[in-house]
Each structure stands twice: as structure tokens, then as C-alpha cells.
Amino acid sequence: MDLKAVVYEGSRQVSTKDVPDAKIERPTDVLVRVTTTNICGSDLHMYEGRTSFEVGRTFGHENMGEVIEVGSGVEKVRVGDRVVLPCNISCGFCKNCERGLTNYCITTQPDPSFAGAAYGFADMGPYGGGQAELLRVPFGDHNALRLGEDAEEKENDYVMLSDIFPTGYHATEMAGVVPGDSVVIAGAGPVGLMAALSAMIKGAAKVMVVDRHPDRLALAEQIGAIAIDDSKVDPVQAVLDETMGLGADRGCECVGYQAHDPQGNEDIAATMNMLINAVRFTGKSAPSACSSPRTPEPRTTSPSRARRPSTSERIGSRVRPWGAVRPRSSGTTASCGT
């Protein structure tokens, strides 16, 4: 029996097709009837043909649904449970998983040159995506988060736990946000807004969100953030003005490698350079959006190619060579879902 799924057919080409039925392959597997799945910004990278995503594979790594079958080795999850599935697939017992680094699971990634796996994602294992009627979930007891009795009623809220909300929250974790901090966030898309909300939940004193789309900035203001439109003002100077010239304590990069300048030209370094300059000395910035293991071909409104990180540091209207100063902030990386 076949099931319907969203299948990648090449750059900017997808279709709903019949594909082989998902099934239990190992005793630790769980089979889920998908009831809700989101479209992630990462899906758009793959849809545009800018990754190594293979033709014929199924998209979808933000999934939830109802368990319809469990393997003989599954002990906690039961048929009929409503579950939400983190985008990363992990075993729970490898060296990385034991240290809490489940996004870099070794067991579930068959290529020894990579670490980490996900549903329907380039370079993250052979697993089918959840933009389909059924989904096989490896290591079901570890990967399926069982939901309460209100799961069906609040499905649109719970599906946010698969990727968007945890990714935004994790950005603030990597940046080390603590009560009283000032935080600047690059990007007011879903991940950026979740990072802003997470920073507020953690007690940040001031949260600034940089974007240029009025509807996104309006949402940022609705949750109490300061909206900075980088098409109208210098975002670095705006942050400095908000922080007595010191710069923000923390920065979160929530755009990724398809960042653009206000003129529409793709600039893969724009947001990171902005954060380097907007976060104070000894502050900390965390990239949480997707980056690519290879340099993707840029798509711009001009003939220019995507730009590399700058070799100077810009602070408001001042520009200084990096060789003459210490870096303004430190950073860490994570895999993601924008």
C-alpha cells in the first residue's frame, strides 16, 4: 500500500505523490499518522536546490501526530498516543547524546564524516520526511514526546515544539541570556520571534529585534521587543543608542546563510557582522539559523555574488580593522530549523 507525500523533484519543483508505505523496520521504531506538519525555512533552502537534498525524497521535519503502531522494543509509547517529534533524530545513548548534544547524534547518522540526523533533511541521514501521511520514528521511546489530553485541541500550539520554539529558545541558551541582559536578535521570522519571546521569559531587561518587514516587526513589538528596521536606520548604531554606547550583552542570529541586505542582494555574512558590531566586548553571540557545509550559489537582485565576512569592524559610523581590536563577541553554532 502506498501513501501520499510531498516529494522533491528538483530545484523549485515538488509534487504530492504516492510513495512506499512507511513501516516498522526495527524493534525500537514507532509509526505515526501525521496530523500536522510545518513548512520550515530550511525546507525552502532545499526546495530552491541549494543543498544536496536528493530528488525523490520527502520533505518535513516539524511533525506531530498519532501513534498507530509500535515496535516490539518500545516500552513507553503506546498506540493511540498523540506525540510531537523533535526535528532531530537521536538515539539517546551515544557519546554525544549522553552529553545532551542530541543534535549531533552519532548513531543515527550513517556517514562517519557527519553527525546528527533529521527527518527529510539534506546531509542528515536517509530518513523520510513528515510531509506525508505516515512517518517512521526511530528510537520511538526517546524521540516521541507524548502529549496530554488537550493535544488534539491545541495541536497548532504543540507542533511548535517540533522545531520553531526550541530553536529560538536554544539561541538564547547558546548566547547565555540571563535576567537583566540586553539582547539583540537578527531576524524577526518565526525563529527570531521565538528567540525574542524566550529572552523575555528568561528575564531579559531589553530585547531588540532587527528586520525590515513591517509585519514581522509589528509582531516583535506585540511581544514587547524593540523593533529596529535596518532598511531605515543603521542597526548597529540603533543598538548602541539603546545601550548607552556599550552594545548588547547577547546576540542571536536567526536568519542564516540566505541573509540579504536592504537592497535585496544576498550577503551570507550580513547578520553575523551586524551582531559582531552590535554586541559589547566580552558579550556573546549565538548563530542558531541554518548554515551550509558548502557555499551555496547566491540568488540576488544584482549580478554581484554573495559576500564573505568583512575584514573590518563597524561600530556605528566608525570602521576599524579587525587586526587592531579584539573581537566584540564570541559565538557558538547549532543545527537548526529556519
Side-chain angles (χ1 to χ4, degrees):
M1 179 178 176
D2 290 339
L3 61 91
K4 292 191 179 299
V6 176
V7 175
Y8 177 65
E9 296 187 323
S11 178
R12 298 178 180 270
Q13 295 182 39
V14 296
S15 62
T16 302
K17 285 186 171 182
D18 289 331
V19 300
D21 227 354
K23 61 184 179 180
I24 299 291
E25 297 180 16
R26 296 183 177 182
T28 51
D29 286 351
V30 165
L31 193 61
V32 172
R33 177 180 65 84
V34 176
T35 57
T36 301
T37 181
N38 293 333
I39 297 174
C40 182
S42 305
D43 292 325
L44 299 182
H45 304 323
M46 294 181 282
Y47 165 74
E48 291 183 354
R50 295 165 58 106
T51 70
S52 61
F53 198 68
E54 302 91 343
V55 171
R57 289 190 63 189
T58 302
F59 284 133
H61 59 272
E62 301 192 18
N63 313 306
M64 70 175 296
E66 180 183 3
V67 176
I68 62 169
E69 188 178 350
V70 300
S72 60
V74 175
E75 298 183 357
K76 295 189 297 184
V77 178
R78 297 284 183 264
V79 171
D81 283 348
R82 292 271 178 165
V83 295
V84 63
L85 309 166
C87 61
N88 292 110
I89 304 172
S90 52
C91 66
F93 55 78
C94 73
K95 186 172 185 177
N96 284 345
C97 285
E98 286 182 342
R99 297 180 179 186
L101 303 173
T102 53
N103 56 323
Y104 293 113
C105 177
I106 301 168
T107 305
T108 53
Q109 171 55 259
D111 187 340
S113 64
F114 287 89
Y119 305 98
F121 207 103
D123 296 320
M124 298 191 76
Y127 307 97
Q131 291 176 22
E133 293 177 297
L134 296 177
L135 179 68
R136 171 188 167 239
V137 179
F139 301 105
D141 279 339
H142 176 67
N143 287 303
L145 174 62
R146 295 172 293 166
L147 302 173
E149 295 179 356
D150 61 351
E152 190 171 357
E153 174 190 351
K154 296 182 178 179
E155 193 158 298
N156 289 339
D157 297 319
Y158 280 126
V159 74
M160 302 288 279
L161 295 176
S162 61
D163 187 340
I164 294 298
F165 183 73
T167 301
Y169 186 88
H170 192 56
T172 66
E173 283 285 291
M174 291 191 299
V177 174
V178 296
D181 274 345
S182 58
V183 183
V184 55
I185 294 166
V191 173
L193 292 172
M194 292 297 100
L197 180 61
S198 298
M200 292 177 184
I201 291 172
K202 290 184 171 188
K206 180 175 287 189
V207 178
M208 298 155 282
V209 179
V210 180
D211 204 293
R212 66 188 64 116
H213 297 280
D215 54 338
R216 294 180 175 186
L217 292 172
L219 288 171
E221 289 180 328
Q222 284 182 28
I223 60 176
I226 297 169
I228 298 174
D229 186 339
D230 73 344
S231 70
K232 297 179 179 179
V233 300
D234 178 343
V236 174
Q237 189 62 53
V239 172
L240 293 174
D241 291 344
E242 290 285 349
T243 57
M244 298 183 293
L246 298 174
D249 298 309
R250 314 290 175 182
C252 299
E253 201 286 320
C254 299
V255 177
Y257 68 76
Q258 285 184 262
H260 289 69
D261 64 23
Q263 290 71 46
N265 300 310
E266 192 165 304
D267 182 352
I268 62 176
T271 48
M272 283 308 304
N273 280 336
M274 185 274 289
L275 289 178
I276 287 169
N277 297 326
V279 172
R280 64 175 173 82
F281 294 104
T282 72
K284 189 174 183 181
S285 292
S288 66
C290 277
S291 52
S292 176
R294 57 188 61 80
T295 301
E297 186 65 25
R299 301 178 186 275
T300 72
T301 57
S302 74
S304 63
R305 294 180 61 83
R307 296 189 289 276
R308 296 293 184 267
S310 70
T311 56
S312 63
E313 178 182 43
R314 188 169 193 274
I315 305 176
S317 59
R318 295 170 293 163
V319 178
R320 298 185 295 184
W322 274 359
V325 296
R326 294 169 295 169
R328 292 187 63 87
S329 60
S330 59
T332 51
T333 8
S335 63
C336 110
T338 48

